[in-house]
Amino acid sequence: MSAESQDGDDLEERVNNFLRRNFPQIQMHGGTAAIQNIDREEGVVDLQLGGACSGCGISPMTIQAIKSRMTKEIPEIDTVHADTGMGGGDTGGMSPSFPGEEDGEEPEDDEGPQAPF
């Protein structure tokens, strides 16, 4: 194994450890954070947040915190790009669905579940 690939593996491991150490709530809340790409020459990391992060109202704050902290804690990283897949277009993001709804089906007029009393 070359020294360059060992350094690369070390950088990827440090990014993964950073995410686990600094953002355990991602996994605790049913989300995932995966490294999509690391450009070692440019110092750029591309992350994909998924699971419960897709569509989560506070994921933009989580992304901002990751960007801010990672560039401070890992000197080789200058820029972090992170996405939840919810940026519009056909990015693989999720939209809310409700029991009994088929994909693309308009919801019926429904006032919600009946109270048990």
Side-chain angles (χ1 to χ4, degrees):
M1 187 179 275
S2 72
E4 183 177 318
S5 66
Q6 286 177 338
D7 290 344
D9 291 343
D10 178 54
L11 181 58
E12 185 171 346
E13 185 176 326
R14 287 188 292 144
V15 169
N16 277 320
N17 287 337
F18 166 86
L19 291 168
R20 277 193 294 271
R21 187 178 65 251
N22 289 288
F23 297 94
Q25 68 272 25
I26 291 174
Q27 192 170 24
M28 290 177 1
H29 293 165
T32 60
I35 298 170
Q36 297 297 303
N37 185 52
I38 297 178
D39 183 334
R40 290 158 182 87
E41 291 179 16
E42 296 292 322
V44 177
V45 174
D46 296 314
L47 301 174
Q48 179 70 43
L49 300 183
C53 292
S54 294
C56 175
I58 64 167
S59 63
M61 290 182 279
T62 302
I63 290 171
Q64 190 57 41
I66 290 170
K67 289 179 177 184
S68 174
R69 290 186 197 171
M70 187 180 293
T71 56
K72 290 177 183 167
E73 289 189 31
I74 304 176
E76 296 91 337
I77 304 300
D78 296 319
T79 306
V80 177
H81 299 289
D83 186 30
T84 62
M86 295 295 292
D90 188 23
T91 58
M94 298 170 55
S95 61
S97 62
F98 302 95
E101 243 183 56
E102 298 293 323
D103 287 340
E105 179 181 299
E106 288 294 318
E108 296 176 19
D109 287 339
D110 185 5
E111 294 181 19
Q114 296 296 315
F117 47 88

